[in-house]
Amino acid sequence: MDRYPFPDDLIDAQRAWHATYRALAVPRPRHATELRRRLLLLSVRIHWHPWWSTPAGWSPAARVELRRMTAADQHTDAA
């Protein structure tokens, strides 16, 4: 059972954030300006998501858990 019941759209946004960050982190990324804009947009969507206003979202540990959970998905895909 998940400790934090994250909504699917928040999980998807965080996964997209990780994917965009990785695309931007490569040497000489193509479309770097578009990637930076997308990263900023995703950051705003994640930061201001209504779920953070719920009692479950008040904990700073919830933000850490979301990042940990979605980053772990990326490491699994790469292996």
Side-chain angles (χ1 to χ4, degrees), residues 1-77:
M1 184 172 150
D2 292 330
R3 182 173 177 182
Y4 299 103
F6 296 114
D8 290 338
D9 64 328
L10 184 56
I11 293 170
D12 292 342
Q14 186 68 51
R15 285 180 179 149
W17 188 95
H18 283 293
T20 304
Y21 187 87
R22 281 193 314 278
L24 194 55
V26 300
R28 300 175 66 181
R30 294 178 54 107
H31 311 290
T33 300
E34 293 171 21
L35 289 170
R36 284 193 302 270
R37 287 179 182 155
R38 177 152 174 77
L39 195 63
L40 182 59
L41 174 70
L42 289 166
S43 296
V44 169
R45 284 185 184 164
I46 293 165
H47 182 79
W48 292 106
H49 194 281
W51 188 81
W52 301 119
S53 297
T54 66
W58 291 346
S59 169
R63 291 184 186 267
V64 173
E65 178 62 19
L66 177 65
R67 286 190 300 269
R68 187 201 61 76
M69 181 180 76
T70 55
D73 291 346
Q74 303 306 323
H75 294 300
T76 302
D77 292 344

